[in-house]
Amino acid sequence: MLLKGATLVRIDPPALERADLRVAGDTIVGRGPRLRPRAGEAVVDVKGRLILPGLVCAHTHGYSALSRGMPAPPASPRSFADMLARVWWTLDQALDEETVYCSALVAAVEAVRAGTTTLIDHHSSPNAIPGSLDIVREALGAVGVRGVLCYEVTDRGGARRRDAGLAENDRFLSATRSDPQMRGLVGAHASFTLGDSSLAALGDLVRYHGAGIHMHVAEATDDVRRTERAHGCGILDRLDRHGLLNERAVLVHGVHLSDADLARARGASAWLVHNPRSNMNNAVGRARIERFGARAALGADGWPADMLAELRFAHFRAREHLGPRRPFPATSLLEGGQRLASALFGMPFGTLEPGSAADLIVADYVSPTPVTAGNLAAHLVAGLQPAMFRRVMAAGRWVCLDGVPANVNVEAVYERASRLAASLWRRMRG
Ligand SMILES: [Zn+2]
């Protein structure tokens, strides 16, 4: 396929170039001015449009997609841990296989509509664990989005469920070793819900598969205090002791990591994922993203995977705290997601260069002011909107055409989701 006449965008370091793109299979195979169509090649006229790399959501929970508008718990949560118990652990325990599938389908539909072509998902369904990652994989595959999946291992449901979670990660990592659109990580909830024997088992999985841990870290003070009280050390100490702190680790939130711990995470080349909408909604505090270093990315943490919305929250929140004299380039977090996807899939993302992933957005962006490499960040924060995304491609296949998901009937998906959400909420109350 030949995409002709667009301006190609690199997010960071920012670059713009008018060039044609050739795609074959799931890869970009050609780039240059005035590429000539080959016999039998489909040619798509994208003149005047911007082509951006497909966006990466570095942490989310597709299982919570049917939570929108659900009734509040009977009593208001008193703390972050209390909110987990009253809201999110009530929700995930009410999930069955059908709601797992439908939730993942809705999460994927909302992702591709927002130009997000890779979802790094953290799944939990304690009453439907075995095979649950295959169900999520099937849903993401139906929409066409890439996935990096894991099952959230925790001690909160007892040893049997913990072991089922470990087995699900193990099985999925083996099954997706050579899948071009799917990868696995080793999922773990958080330090305060994991005992030492569970962390040791997670460490065994990480070593056996050469995979990274995907885990919430210091999201709220509960995690830090309970870890110190129960284990007499910090969260990163515990991860390090069990061989979980390495360059493949995806550490989520880091709101309450100390300066020393942030330096330690950077030193280990672990990935840190910032989720500003979630942090604000849960009132857990502000992550000091200015100390996250180069291996930092953006996640939606269960909110729709609209990474431009997440970018705005990251930008404004950093701006409010750091002030105009210490500007934080929030778009570097979008680029961080591209580098994380590159590491996970073993091919370049985000460059739109030959040999890189054919994951891209064709945007109908007409700006009232000039768009240059020098001011691209301002256009990403203040101008571009998912409503301008005319086409979206993931792994060389169109997943949105004319702004509409191309591979599923959205009306039918939402009708089913709405029906399932009503019974899910009834089960939660029960
Ligand atoms: Zn999360």
Side-chain angles (χ1 to χ4, degrees):
M1 186 190 306
L2 189 58
L3 307 179
K4 281 200 77 69
T7 298
L8 309 184
V9 175
R10 172 87 196 252
I11 294 173
D12 189 31
L16 298 167
E17 187 195 14
R18 189 82 168 267
D20 301 338
L21 273 190
R22 172 167 282 126
V23 172
D26 64 355
T27 309
I28 291 169
V29 295
R31 168 177 174 144
R34 293 179 297 279
L35 296 183
R36 291 166 65 99
R38 293 172 181 161
E41 191 169 53
V43 178
V44 183
D45 179 7
V46 283
K47 199 155 168 256
R49 306 270 163 99
L50 293 184
I51 294 186
L52 300 103
L55 302 172
V56 175
C57 176
H59 173 73
T60 196
H61 305 278
Y63 74 77
S64 69
L66 303 188
S67 67
R68 191 180 307 165
M70 73 184 177
S76 295
R78 294 182 304 271
S79 65
F80 177 73
D82 193 33
M83 190 203 41
L84 289 179
R86 286 175 196 259
V87 180
W88 302 113
W89 296 349
T90 309
L91 171 77
D92 70 4
Q93 290 188 72
L95 295 170
D96 57 15
E97 292 185 348
E98 192 182 10
T99 35
V100 167
Y101 180 77
C102 197
S103 301
L105 211 51
V106 168
V109 161
E110 302 207 320
V112 295
R113 275 185 159 162
T116 298
T117 49
T118 299
L119 286 174
I120 302 182
D121 190 74
H122 201 269
H123 176 69
S124 177
S125 52
N127 286 308
I129 299 174
S132 57
L133 296 182
D134 282 348
I135 296 173
V136 175
R137 174 195 202 172
E138 192 187 331
L140 267 50
V143 177
V145 69
R146 287 185 202 259
V148 180
L149 311 186
C150 69
Y151 190 88
E152 178 181 292
V153 172
T154 173
D155 290 345
R156 71 168 147 108
R160 192 179 57 80
R161 282 180 174 161
R162 179 204 64 178
D163 292 347
L166 287 163
E168 184 61 6
N169 282 304
D170 186 22
R171 189 191 62 72
F172 192 76
L173 279 158
S174 296
T176 52
R177 217 175 280 275
S178 55
D179 187 322
Q181 275 192 253
M182 262 329 124
R183 286 289 187 272
L185 285 166
V186 176
H189 176 243
S191 174
F192 75 100
T193 71
L194 287 160
D196 283 337
S197 65
S198 302
L199 282 188
L202 289 161
D204 288 344
L205 273 186
V206 158
R207 278 185 292 280
Y208 178 76
H209 290 282
I213 191 93
H214 181 184
M215 181 171 175
H216 300 104
V217 170
E219 177 174 4
T221 49
D222 292 306
D223 194 16
V224 179
R225 285 193 198 132
R226 288 187 190 198
T227 298
E228 281 169 359
R229 214 181 303 141
H231 305 282
C233 66
I235 296 170
L236 293 197
D237 283 324
R238 287 193 82 207
L239 297 187
D240 205 11
R241 276 181 209 168
H242 293 285
L244 297 168
L245 187 62
N246 58 33
E247 76 283 359
R248 297 178 300 278
V250 178
L251 309 181
V252 181
H253 296 300
V255 175
H256 296 281
L257 288 179
S258 65
D259 284 355
D261 274 345
L262 285 168
R264 192 164 175 183
R266 290 196 306 271
S269 297
W271 296 90
L272 287 160
V273 182
H274 180 44
N275 305 261
R277 284 183 297 182
S278 165
N279 293 163
M280 293 173 84
N281 187 57
N282 292 333
V284 292
R286 185 187 81 89
R288 288 171 304 145
I289 50 175
E290 64 280 10
R291 293 174 189 258
F292 273 18
R295 284 161 82 86
L298 273 181
D301 202 22
W303 290 86
D306 176 350
M307 304 320 291
L308 289 180
E310 208 67 56
L311 170 73
R312 291 188 178 102
F313 278 80
H315 169 83
F316 290 125
R317 206 166 191 209
R319 188 89 180 162
E320 185 180 43
H321 280 263
L322 300 172
R325 287 192 181 176
R326 285 199 294 158
F328 178 81
T331 49
S332 67
L333 298 172
L334 284 184
E335 183 67 22
Q338 303 291 340
R339 282 184 280 111
L340 174 55
S342 307
L344 289 164
F345 284 95
M347 72 192 297
F349 279 64
T351 65
L352 302 176
E353 293 288 345
S356 72
D359 292 37
L360 54 86
I361 299 164
V362 179
D364 191 7
Y365 182 55
V366 182
S367 172
T369 56
V371 184
T372 66
N375 69 13
L376 178 65
H379 289 277
L380 288 167
V381 170
L384 267 165
Q385 300 280 350
M388 300 165 179
F389 297 169
R390 303 318 304 157
R391 287 168 173 256
V392 179
M393 177 184 283
R397 174 187 177 207
W398 292 120
V399 292
C400 261
L401 290 169
D402 292 325
V404 177
N407 306 316
V408 289
N409 178 338
V410 175
E411 221 169 282
V413 170
Y414 281 15
E415 201 181 299
R416 183 180 174 195
S418 195
R419 192 166 37 78
L420 287 173
S423 57
L424 174 70
W425 299 351
R426 274 196 297 277
R427 285 203 295 282
M428 286 174 69
R429 283 201 295 270

